[in-house]
Amino acid sequence: MLETVIKRDRDLGTPARESAVTVTLTIDGQEITVPEGTSLMRAAAEAGINIPKLCATDSLEPFGSCRLCLVQIEGRRGYPASCTTPAENGMVVYTETPKLHDLRRGVMELYISDHPLDCLTCPANGDCELQDMAGVVGLRNVRYGYDGANHLKSEKDESNPYFTYDASKCIVCNRCVRACEETQGTFALTISGKGFESRVSPGQDQPFLDSECVSCGACVQACPTSTLQEKTVIMMGQAEHSVVTTCAYCGVGCGFKAEMKGQEVVRMVPWKDGQANRGHSCVKGRFAWGYATHKERVLKPMIRKHITDSWKEVSWDEAINYAASEFRRIQGQYGRDAVGGITSSRCTNEETWLVQKLVRAAFGTNNVDTCARVCHSPTGYGLKQTLGESAGTQTFDSVMHTDVVIVMGANPSSGHPVFASRLKRRLRQGARLIVIDPRRIELVSSPHIKADFHLQVRPGTNTALLSSLAHVIATENLIAEAFVAERCEAKAFKEWRDFVSLPENSPEAMEEITGVPAQAVRGAARLYATGGNGSIYYGLGVTEHSQGSTTVMAIANLAMATGNIGREGVGVNPLRGQNNVQGSCDMGSFPHELPGYRHISDNTVRAQFEKDWGVTLQPEPGLRIPNMFEAALGGSFKGLYCQGEDIVQSDPNTQHVAASLAAMECIVVQDLFLNETAKYAHVFLPGSSFLEKDGTFTNAERRISRVRKVMEPKNGKSDWEVTVALSNALGYPMDYKHPREIMDEIARLTPTFSGVSYEKLDKLGSLQWPCNDEAPDGTPIMHIEEFVRGKGKFMITKYVPTDERSTRRFPLLLTTGRILSQYNVGAQTRRTPNVMWHGEDVLELHPQDAEDRGVKDGDWVGIQSRAGETVLRATLTDRVQPGVVYTTFHFPESGANVVTTDSSDWATNCPEYKVTAVQVTRVSQPSEWQRQWSRFADIQQKLLRERSRENEAALTGK
Ligand code: SF4
Ligand code: SF4
Ligand code: SF4
Ligand code: FES
């Protein structure tokens, strides 16, 4: 997967066609058979014959504008464009004749006559299709010259921080416009003007930055010239080699080619063969990687006795030995279980495996947990109970076979943008859409897409709404009886049917609770049950509730009841937030489960690990994150190893979390930056970015993809090496030369991973677990013949109102989410130009609620809950319904989680981020918490500054 020379991916000119019918024709004397509908251009390319082209590319539908791809067909007049002409049986086609050469040279002459001939100084020199085609058609001179009108003085649009639009180089091939429409689905670009005046125009003839453009880069990728060009390429020149790796941002898990010059990234190009992204990307993965070399990265290990002390830079050995001695001291003084660890969903599977192994084997406790506790733990629980496996059932490609999609509690356009583009493509082809969300997300109404139903559910009432959907399906005889009879437990199904059929679960009875009109619920239920392949995609708007696990089970019930599981186009699909949430759960990060979701109390499973690891493991589950906080405040939990998570910013009830950390005696934080959690730390171990290490990530499809080191770690060690060193210092030996050996151990001890190896991943590109003897190449779709648990199990999902209800004191419901340009706690994306799109968190408030409170757009408002108070700027919008307010949590100073409470899911303790009863009032100054935060942050920055300044030199290489 390392290319020593950059090769452009082979471009077959037009997209592949799927058809059972084939046609056979002759091109340049070769007989060729292709699926019906294939263009002549692609048929020729598949036979190794490259027809010159400019406006065609195989990621986009053909357009037929450049006239360079002309061919001759026996028995036909004229010279048709091969990109738009379908192959037919018996055709005899010629691609190279003297006449065609003349015609093509004439076309190229016209293009070149209005093109700056600055190839040697052009940033695309060597990577320009216009330049290539001039060579291919044998252009030797241009008769027209520059004497007439030309575009050489056109002004560049530099507004986008990542790419430039230089109109003087535009050949108006329309590829960018089509990429924005077909690949991305944003429709931000048009060709304005006619003939010679034609030019690419974002939005209403606006600069890119002011238009609807979301900076996905698809147009830049599609542009055959340097008209749309990455600024890094303009600055650094063409790359020298490339390495295929995986994006470290969201759970889509896009494959990228990191194009490199030595140790520096020139650009990240979405990998055409990436099975999760199929050559597409979003602004984060494509452009927002500059944080990896940001000057605020901490590159030297640091220690301090108290959090009021200055940091002291020390060697790796000193830091690791200090951390180990502190953990052992604490265990000696307070008991074995006084310490624990938190694994990271941003780190690799291998790194996560090692952290949970360190906690279980070296600490000798099961006090290990992960950030999935606060996001998708209800998915694990709910799907395991009903279907038997704690993961989504499909591939992303499966959405192209769906007929009706339910998107519930997720905003893919922001959280999972590359999946959103694929979904939108399917919706434009005619699939129907049901959105269940308190907020009018972008999908409800976007270019060429309109949801059939938007069930604007009141926060906290998801389970009630799903019961009412199920009621319609059960009482209107819409159940897939044969599927249920064959595949599901009969007794549990009968109990479920009786339960959902109760009059109190009818849409009419539930309307008052959910706020969703009964007729809309009835319509949506009928559509999902009868509209063909029905699929459900859901996010944290489902899980982060007091009934998160119940709602996940209700979703699985719906899919089973309608037979929408076990084939292409259907299924239950949790959209995972962080890049490796799936992986960190698979790797045994939960305190009650060994890797592969096997309970720690299972003697047989534990014995396998004990034998392999040479230790005795505790049979009792350890502490979950919230229990660790409680124990810390109670004085029995004193030491924490926290890798790659910022629990102070991301976990609910910030003041409670901070107080818990302040009560501990040794907190070891391993991260890129001095984040909010590190401000409470005693040992800081510098983390490595995804560019600096080898390993694997597992995305929301259960797809395991390789992460490859493209540069040496700036801090001298990859994260896995640090955990190995810490374990050795604790006296539990770990000895791995390469993460490949850790994967071999994972495969040895985890049945669903037993067939996984780096060799196989390199060969196949990626793999979806389970991957074992029964499925050596992985399992794209689960539960095909039978459910993992045997028979599917319907669960009773009774609606229990949350305690977080609006009251006279707190009459509004706050719900939280994320935005496209920022990622999670923002530690990475805030350190990139992505802040140009979102520089602060704001509070969305319905105009009616604003008027009641005398709040105007842009005013500062205080948001008070029973947990705390923060102040944000108000944005008035009817995206939220009256009574509901919404914010994001990407900036620490916003303190969104100061307001969220410790209310949590009954089964898994996943916090109820999505429902907090609040009051909103107009204010003129930051909250008391914000003032304290500023003071504390200033002190911590000062304590950091007081250490030596060697870091900068390491980053800049001086
Ligand atoms: S900007 Fe590039 S892709 Fe778009 S029309 Fe011009 S040359 Fe073609
Ligand atoms: S960057 Fe993406 S959204 Fe913006 S114009 Fe290009 S294709 Fe459209
Ligand atoms: S969709 Fe997710 S994985 Fe893909 S580029 Fe964007 S952030 Fe990265
Ligand atoms: S490539 Fe066929 S017309 Fe442009």
Tab-separated table of all heavy atoms in Angstrom, residues 527-544:
chain	number	residue	atom	x	y	z
A	527	LEU	N	-45.539	3.095	5.462
A	527	LEU	CA	-44.496	3.227	4.451
A	527	LEU	C	-43.328	2.296	4.763
A	527	LEU	O	-42.844	1.559	3.890
A	527	LEU	CB	-44.014	4.691	4.392
A	527	LEU	CG	-42.867	4.977	3.418
A	527	LEU	CD1	-43.266	4.615	1.983
A	527	LEU	CD2	-42.468	6.458	3.479
A	528	TYR	N	-42.879	2.301	6.011
A	528	TYR	CA	-41.729	1.458	6.368
A	528	TYR	C	-42.067	-0.027	6.189
A	528	TYR	O	-41.256	-0.816	5.699
A	528	TYR	CB	-41.299	1.746	7.813
A	528	TYR	CG	-40.221	0.814	8.327
A	528	TYR	CD1	-38.939	0.844	7.787
A	528	TYR	CD2	-40.502	-0.112	9.328
A	528	TYR	CE1	-37.945	-0.026	8.250
A	528	TYR	CE2	-39.514	-0.988	9.794
A	528	TYR	CZ	-38.246	-0.935	9.251
A	528	TYR	OH	-37.275	-1.794	9.700
A	529	ALA	N	-43.280	-0.401	6.580
A	529	ALA	CA	-43.638	-1.825	6.563
A	529	ALA	C	-43.940	-2.335	5.161
A	529	ALA	O	-43.795	-3.530	4.892
A	529	ALA	CB	-44.836	-2.078	7.480
A	530	THR	N	-44.347	-1.472	4.277
A	530	THR	CA	-44.820	-1.967	2.972
A	530	THR	C	-44.045	-1.397	1.783
A	530	THR	O	-44.337	-1.730	0.647
A	530	THR	CB	-46.311	-1.600	2.759
A	530	THR	OG1	-46.411	-0.166	2.707
A	530	THR	CG2	-47.195	-2.126	3.869
A	531	GLY	N	-43.085	-0.536	2.030
A	531	GLY	CA	-42.449	0.190	0.913
A	531	GLY	C	-41.288	-0.536	0.258
A	531	GLY	O	-40.524	0.065	-0.482
A	532	GLY	N	-41.101	-1.837	0.518
A	532	GLY	CA	-39.954	-2.555	-0.055
A	532	GLY	C	-38.883	-2.702	1.011
A	532	GLY	O	-39.188	-2.816	2.197
A	533	ASN	N	-37.623	-2.682	0.580
A	533	ASN	CA	-36.521	-2.829	1.542
A	533	ASN	C	-36.506	-1.648	2.502
A	533	ASN	O	-36.315	-0.506	2.084
A	533	ASN	CB	-35.181	-2.876	0.810
A	533	ASN	CG	-34.941	-4.210	0.154
A	533	ASN	OD1	-35.584	-5.208	0.499
A	533	ASN	ND2	-34.023	-4.239	-0.805
A	534	GLY	N	-36.681	-1.925	3.785
A	534	GLY	CA	-36.687	-0.845	4.784
A	534	GLY	C	-35.425	-0.899	5.631
A	534	GLY	O	-35.061	-1.965	6.143
A	535	SER	N	-34.751	0.218	5.771
A	535	SER	CA	-33.527	0.235	6.585
A	535	SER	C	-33.649	1.319	7.648
A	535	SER	O	-34.341	2.317	7.446
A	535	SER	CB	-32.310	0.498	5.706
A	535	SER	OG	-32.510	1.673	4.956
A	536	ILE	N	-32.964	1.097	8.757
A	536	ILE	CA	-32.984	2.095	9.839
A	536	ILE	C	-31.544	2.496	10.139
A	536	ILE	O	-30.679	1.625	10.353
A	536	ILE	CB	-33.642	1.542	11.120
A	536	ILE	CG1	-35.049	1.029	10.814
A	536	ILE	CG2	-33.690	2.616	12.211
A	536	ILE	CD1	-35.766	0.381	12.000
A	537	TYR	N	-31.283	3.786	10.113
A	537	TYR	CA	-29.982	4.336	10.484
A	537	TYR	C	-30.212	5.224	11.697
A	537	TYR	O	-31.100	6.079	11.664
A	537	TYR	CB	-29.377	5.142	9.322
A	537	TYR	CG	-29.021	4.241	8.173
A	537	TYR	CD1	-29.989	3.854	7.239
A	537	TYR	CD2	-27.741	3.723	8.043
A	537	TYR	CE1	-29.681	2.978	6.210
A	537	TYR	CE2	-27.417	2.850	7.015
A	537	TYR	CZ	-28.384	2.486	6.098
A	537	TYR	OH	-28.072	1.616	5.095
A	538	TYR	N	-29.446	5.021	12.747
A	538	TYR	CA	-29.695	5.826	13.941
A	538	TYR	C	-28.393	6.264	14.584
A	538	TYR	O	-27.325	5.725	14.326
A	538	TYR	CB	-30.588	5.069	14.935
A	538	TYR	CG	-29.929	3.915	15.638
A	538	TYR	CD1	-29.230	4.117	16.827
A	538	TYR	CD2	-30.007	2.629	15.133
A	538	TYR	CE1	-28.630	3.057	17.496
A	538	TYR	CE2	-29.410	1.570	15.793
A	538	TYR	CZ	-28.721	1.793	16.966
A	538	TYR	OH	-28.114	0.756	17.616
A	539	GLY	N	-28.527	7.272	15.438
A	539	GLY	CA	-27.336	7.834	16.077
A	539	GLY	C	-27.564	8.070	17.554
A	539	GLY	O	-28.405	7.433	18.201
A	540	LEU	N	-26.823	9.050	18.051
A	540	LEU	CA	-26.815	9.279	19.494
A	540	LEU	C	-28.126	9.870	19.990
A	540	LEU	O	-28.397	9.856	21.190
A	540	LEU	CB	-25.631	10.171	19.858
A	540	LEU	CG	-24.277	9.635	19.360
A	540	LEU	CD1	-23.143	10.538	19.815
A	540	LEU	CD2	-24.039	8.221	19.852
A	541	GLY	N	-28.935	10.369	19.079
A	541	GLY	CA	-30.271	10.839	19.451
A	541	GLY	C	-31.166	9.687	19.872
A	541	GLY	O	-32.259	9.891	20.399
A	542	VAL	N	-30.711	8.460	19.629
A	542	VAL	CA	-31.425	7.276	20.110
A	542	VAL	C	-30.819	6.799	21.430
A	542	VAL	O	-31.523	6.496	22.387
A	542	VAL	CB	-31.374	6.147	19.049
A	542	VAL	CG1	-31.685	4.786	19.644
A	542	VAL	CG2	-32.338	6.462	17.921
A	543	THR	N	-29.481	6.754	21.455
A	543	THR	CA	-28.831	6.067	22.582
A	543	THR	C	-28.686	6.941	23.830
A	543	THR	O	-28.756	6.430	24.948
A	543	THR	CB	-27.435	5.579	22.157
A	543	THR	OG1	-26.711	6.692	21.620
A	543	THR	CG2	-27.524	4.490	21.120
A	544	GLU	N	-28.450	8.233	23.644
A	544	GLU	CA	-28.113	9.073	24.801
A	544	GLU	C	-29.366	9.558	25.530
A	544	GLU	O	-29.702	10.746	25.556
A	544	GLU	CB	-27.239	10.248	24.336
A	544	GLU	CG	-25.846	9.757	23.905
A	544	GLU	CD	-24.953	10.843	23.343
A	544	GLU	OE1	-25.482	11.917	22.967
A	544	GLU	OE2	-23.736	10.615	23.275
